[in-house]
Amino acid sequence: MILLVARFGRGFLAQTGVLLGLLAGTAVAVPLGLADFSAARAADWIGLSAPFHFGAPEFPAVAVLSMCVVMLVLFAESTADLIAVAELTGRRLTTADMARGLAKLGAWVAGLPQPVVGAAGLVMSATVAAVGVSTLREVDFDGTHNLLIAAVLIGVGMAPEMAPDLYSRVPEGIGIVLGSPVTSATLLAFCLNLAFNGGNPRRDAGLVRAPAAEGKREALAGRTRV
């Protein structure tokens, strides 16, 4: 359904393929008894978290650092999700859009059939990845260290998935941070970008190139003039 709408739809209709796919899948699932919205009907429109739900707070340094990193990653992931939705709908994302959220809506989404949510989530997750690849097109890889940074990040991010026991012998707090592909890659991205590009603001924008690259460019320009 999502692919058909994207292929044959026009204008705004073509941008609503994920939403129409969710609605169509839910419409098919309801008569089959695969959808359960009982929790949504009983849910409050605005939910408040109960204080000290898991007991009195404790503040171990490693846990605090880990949660700070995790929250930064979640913020980045949520922002990427919203950017992907904006790309699909053709709408410009604003700060107000990122601040919205209701508990009632979350309960209704939780009641959707899992196969329907899974199909829509597959498209959305892939769109987030595609947006990331599209963003990398704007990075200047010629004559800079950005290609090396991207390569190292991909390797470090894939390492915990390819070798789940890679960080099994490190302290638990460090293992929690490094054992997550997103967390480890995000931390390394900050560190490597700061190490290679942080000293020169023009280099961050891809405006400063290595001398070898400049020499090649001048040589090509000279051949063109000849």
Side-chain angles (χ1 to χ4, degrees), residues 106-126:
W108 278 101
V109 172
L112 294 175
Q114 292 300 313
V116 177
V117 176
L122 176 65
V123 176
M124 289 301 302
S125 299

Side-chain angles (χ1 to χ4, degrees), residues 2-26:
I2 298 174
L3 298 178
L4 290 176
V5 173
R7 173 62 180 84
F8 298 105
R10 294 292 182 271
F12 175 76
L13 180 63
Q15 305 297 329
T16 59
V18 175
L19 176 60
L20 294 179
L22 282 172
L23 295 176
T26 303

Side-chain angles (χ1 to χ4, degrees), residues 4 16 20 22 30 34 61 70 89 94 103 137 145 147 149-151 168 172 181 188 195 217 219 225:
L4 290 176
T16 59
L20 294 179
L22 282 172
V30 168
L34 298 178
V70 169
T89 59
T94 64
R137 293 188 308 171
H145 295 99
L147 182 62
I149 294 175
S168 60
E172 183 179 1
L188 189 60
R217 175 170 295 182
R225 287 194 296 269

